[in-house]
Amino acid sequence: MPLDERPTVYSTEPDFEKRCPRCGRYPCRCPKPKSLPPQQQTAAISRDRKGRGGKTVTVIRDLQLSPEDLQALARQLKQHCGSGGTVKDGDIEIQGDHRDKVAARLRALGYKTKLVGG
Ligand SMILES: [Zn+2]
């Protein structure tokens, strides 16, 4: 069709901001990631500071887990560290600096771990 008759497919849609950057849809329609066995995974563990308060969080990245397994693992780590935490964009965040505890727990579960950053 002529250029000026094309429907506008972006920016006017209310959900545009929420669209998945990978598949461009909202809700996301990407294929759900499947979990790999822990033995085939290396978790990257780092410390980060969040927000205005500068609270320290321990961030666990590079895990190939389904959303359910990721939540379950986050729950275990929170329990193990006696701390709060959350799952965000496929990463696990645990409040406080618990890198050693997190690494020990992940290794006990069969994961390989590496500490990254400061
Ligand atoms: Zn998607």
Side-chain angles (χ1 to χ4, degrees), residues 1-117:
M1 64 183 87
L3 202 63
D4 54 0
E5 278 176 32
R6 281 188 196 168
T8 307
V9 292
Y10 52 88
S11 76
T12 55
E13 286 180 34
D15 287 334
F16 180 71
E17 299 283 332
K18 290 190 267 182
R19 281 187 181 196
C20 170
R22 213 175 298 170
C23 63
R25 292 171 191 262
Y26 177 81
C28 169
R29 285 184 207 170
C30 293
K32 285 245 165 80
K34 286 214 182 94
S35 302
L36 283 177
Q39 289 75 12
Q40 293 179 22
Q41 304 206 53
T42 301
I45 302 167
S46 63
R47 187 178 53 177
D48 205 352
R49 281 181 192 281
K50 306 288 284 185
R52 260 175 286 168
K55 272 190 187 167
T56 300
V57 294
T58 304
V59 184
I60 302 105
R61 292 194 176 90
D62 293 353
L63 291 173
Q64 170 87 39
L65 293 174
S66 69
E68 293 78 17
D69 288 348
L70 202 61
Q71 290 287 354
L73 181 60
R75 210 156 39 231
Q76 279 192 54
L77 292 174
K78 282 189 280 186
Q79 233 165 40
H80 182 68
C81 298
S83 188
T86 184
V87 172
K88 219 165 93 183
D89 303 331
D91 300 337
I92 298 174
E93 290 182 4
I94 305 292
Q95 286 163 24
D97 183 0
H98 297 293
R99 286 173 297 172
D100 292 342
K101 274 187 177 175
V102 163
R105 183 69 193 166
L106 287 171
R107 281 198 296 269
L109 292 168
Y111 294 93
K112 290 185 277 288
T113 61
K114 62 176 179 193
L115 296 178
V116 294

